[in-house]
Amino acid sequence: MNSEIRKMFCDLLGEDRVFTEEAMSQHTTFKIGGPADYFLMPDKGEDVGRVIKICKEKEIPYFILGNGSNLLVSDEGYCGVIIQLYRNYGGITVEGTNIRAGAGALLSQIASAAKNASLTGFEFAGGIPGTLGGAVVMNAGAYGGEMKDVLKEVTVMTEQGEIMTIPAEKLEMGYRTSLVKKAGYLVLEAVISLKAG
């Protein structure tokens, strides 16, 4: 662990969002995985971009983590930075028949918000483990529905740090793939379009 790099992350995010030698077994659904050098929990897209910029400048490998669903991590851990978007980056807002959610929002939480707002169309995702970000990247689906059926737009960050919003019709979503996956974009948030019912 490099104290200078740790200080850079703490100055950016605050000490309560920066952990060192964090056991990855605490952050995967299979409960396996050794320590990560750095485990960061940003809560704003700008901070995610700044963390990635530091990683690139210092040549530190990084990995974006959601809920850790079905993720296998070595007992040796991860040499680099884990950027978790699950706990602090999962806000959900109902806007009429649309739901705006952060990449770290659990699909089950979004389905619950839809139910509570008497919205239909997202039932297929209620039992899928994982977060919205990963679901968008891979066009997750089950029970005859998939993300491409309900997405209105997705806000992403490019590898260069540019933030842009892409309408659903330009996402090139197919079976377990999307433009987001092909281009290496990072999902920040998405708007899901549902119906009253």
Side-chain angles (χ1 to χ4, degrees), residues 142-190:
Y143 311 112
E146 51 191 341
M147 293 304 295
K148 74 174 185 175
D149 301 331
V150 296
L151 281 175
K152 182 175 183 180
E153 63 184 33
V154 177
T155 301
V156 300
M157 181 182 295
T158 68
E159 291 187 346
Q160 293 72 39
E162 178 189 359
I163 295 176
M164 60 185 185
T165 300
I166 306 171
E169 59 270 17
K170 295 190 177 178
L171 288 171
E172 301 174 17
M173 300 191 90
Y175 182 74
R176 303 300 175 255
T177 190
S178 68
L179 170 67
V180 177
K181 182 177 182 178
K182 295 172 195 168
Y185 295 154
L186 169 61
V187 175
L188 296 177
E189 72 170 22

Side-chain angles (χ1 to χ4, degrees), residues 25-129:
S25 59
Q26 301 300 307
H27 304 283
T28 61
T29 57
F30 288 130
K31 301 297 181 196
I32 63 168
D37 290 346
Y38 305 93
F39 188 91
L40 311 181
M41 299 169 54
D43 64 352
K44 296 189 289 288
E46 301 81 26
D47 288 346
V48 174
R50 291 180 185 120
V51 166
I52 291 173
K53 184 177 180 190
I54 291 170
C55 290
K56 288 182 176 181
E57 286 172 355
K58 300 294 184 181
E59 299 182 349
I60 305 169
Y62 66 90
F63 181 81
I64 305 297
L65 176 70
N67 185 39
S69 301
N70 303 327
L71 181 67
L72 302 176
V73 180
S74 168
D75 288 341
E76 295 175 9
Y78 183 76
C79 295
V81 176
I82 299 290
I83 305 169
Q84 186 189 54
L85 297 186
Y86 164 44
R87 287 185 168 76
N88 293 306
Y89 207 82
I92 300 170
T93 308
V94 177
E95 304 168 346
T97 56
N98 293 333
I99 295 180
R100 181 180 300 275
L106 289 172
L107 295 181
S108 59
Q109 292 173 329
I110 298 170
S112 181
K115 179 189 69 132
N116 292 341
S118 297
L119 298 176
T120 186
F122 204 67
E123 293 84 355
F124 73 90
I128 300 175

